[in-house]
Amino acid sequence: MTNYKKILVAIDIHAQYEQVINKALTICNSKDDLNLVYVPLPITYISPYLYGVDYSDIDDSERVNKSHEELKSIGRKFGIDESRVHFKVGEAADEIQNIANEIHADLIVIGTHGRSGLKLLLGSTANSVLHGVKQDVLAVRIKE
């Protein structure tokens, strides 16, 4: 059996997350060991590139609410209790690191496409997570 007692599984609900969750399920002793997280970027993330744009009229709540509901649905599908499903809008690597620390995770499982250049080994989010955490990180190569 594994020594990992609390595993944080970071997914992208718009990508092939099944492979990442299934890999985490093979490592854990129980589904109760798993926590699920998804971190979408805020709609205003591009603001530095669109100087002078007024964001006061932008309402991103519908997209955020739909994403949160989708994440909860994915958790139910894999038997992960809603209390262990985490959703935070922000910079993915930072929020994954914060949640891993808050829940005292000892392993982070994250998917990677590894498409080109430095990203050949790890995706940009996976790479950023890896270099900023004290936990072990398992990067699951997503097969297209």
Side-chain angles (χ1 to χ4, degrees):
M1 291 289 165
T2 178
N3 290 329
Y4 296 116
K5 302 294 182 209
K6 195 166 281 192
I7 300 171
L8 180 62
V9 184
I11 65 167
D12 179 348
I13 65 170
H14 303 292
Q16 295 170 316
Y17 57 81
E18 293 91 353
Q19 295 172 49
V20 180
I21 297 172
N22 285 328
K23 179 60 81 172
L25 286 168
T26 66
I27 295 168
C28 69
N29 292 321
S30 161
K31 288 182 182 179
D32 292 339
D33 296 344
L34 296 183
N35 284 262
L36 192 61
V37 62
Y38 171 58
V39 183
L41 285 171
I43 195 77
T44 58
Y45 186 74
I46 60 169
S47 63
Y49 305 103
L50 298 174
Y51 180 76
V53 174
D54 180 14
Y55 291 99
S56 62
D57 293 333
I58 295 176
D59 182 6
D60 197 28
S61 61
E62 184 177 345
R63 178 187 69 97
V64 168
N65 291 336
K66 283 182 179 180
S67 295
H68 193 188
E69 289 305 314
E70 178 64 20
L71 180 65
K72 290 192 279 189
S73 175
I74 292 167
R76 287 189 296 274
K77 175 180 169 184
F78 285 91
I80 301 170
D81 188 78
E82 192 171 314
S83 66
R84 293 187 317 277
V85 173
H86 308 275
F87 181 88
K88 184 80 174 169
V89 177
E91 179 64 42
D94 293 340
E95 296 303 337
I96 291 167
Q97 292 165 1
N98 291 338
I99 292 168
N101 290 333
E102 287 171 17
I103 67 169
H104 305 288
D106 43 21
L107 176 67
I108 300 170
V109 179
I110 190 166
T112 182
H113 289 91
R115 294 195 172 117
S116 63
L118 291 176
K119 295 180 188 176
L120 184 59
L121 297 175
L122 291 174
S124 58
T125 300
N127 190 44
S128 296
V129 168
L130 176 66
H131 292 291
V133 294
K134 58 186 175 190
Q135 297 86 352
D136 290 346
V137 177
L138 172 62
V140 178
R141 178 84 181 215
I142 296 175
K143 298 174 180 120
E144 302 289 338

